[in-house]
Amino acid sequence: MNPIHRLSDLPKLLAVLAVAYFLTSLGHFSHNAEFICEYPNLPASLTRAKVYAVWMGITSVGVIGFLLIRKRFVMTGLLLVAVYALLGFDGLGHYALAPMAWHTPMANITILSEVVAAALLLTATLGLLVSRVRQRHRVSAG
């Protein structure tokens, strides 16, 4: 396996998974913002604008991760992409507030699709991180 030194060296699968997570996250947060009154037990202080602001904050973590990879800070960038993916599990918090049955079918679809996309991105990113650590270990032991 070739070492990863820049963004173009990343497997295309990682880019596809990142785009999939980005889109499913946007779908979930947009649905949440636009139909906020349909999500059971959300705090009254939560507004449409706050939902979009949180999404932009989460997304910025992933964008910074990919920018760092592009600038050849690959390990740090991959770690940030992993954090970005981990943040996709936050949607499961809806089920801590109310059971799945209390949510609309579309709310469940957007929540669960974001979680699945985040899990796939996290798995691929952690795989690349482990591979990178092993390559470094082989070079230093070599």
Side-chain angles (χ1 to χ4, degrees):
M1 180 183 288
N2 293 333
I4 300 165
H5 296 294
R6 58 189 178 275
L7 195 56
S8 63
D9 292 337
L10 288 175
K12 299 244 185 281
L13 178 61
L14 187 70
V16 169
L17 293 174
V19 169
Y21 171 55
F22 170 86
L23 293 173
T24 57
S25 176
L26 177 59
H28 170 225
F29 275 82
S30 295
H31 188 270
N32 199 332
E34 300 305 321
F35 300 97
I36 201 162
C37 61
E38 293 182 16
Y39 281 80
N41 297 331
L42 287 181
S45 62
L46 194 58
T47 65
R48 179 177 182 247
K50 287 179 183 177
V51 170
Y52 283 118
V54 168
W55 179 79
M56 288 190 301
I58 289 170
T59 302
S60 69
V61 173
V63 169
I64 292 168
F66 280 102
L67 288 173
L68 286 171
I69 294 167
R70 184 179 180 109
K71 295 291 183 184
R72 297 184 186 246
F73 296 99
V74 177
M75 291 294 285
T76 304
L78 286 172
L79 284 170
L80 277 178
V81 172
V83 168
Y84 172 56
L86 278 170
L87 290 168
F89 291 90
D90 187 59
L92 293 173
H94 285 291
Y95 301 130
L97 297 175
M100 187 181 278
W102 290 12
H103 291 79
T104 66
M106 186 53 74
N108 285 319
I109 288 168
T110 65
I111 292 165
L112 296 174
S113 65
E114 178 186 30
V115 169
V116 168
L120 293 170
L121 178 60
L122 180 62
T123 301
T125 304
L126 291 177
L128 287 170
L129 280 166
V130 167
S131 173
R132 181 113 170 131
V133 168
R134 285 182 179 161
Q135 287 171 355
R136 282 187 171 185
H137 181 69
R138 278 194 294 261
V139 168
S140 66

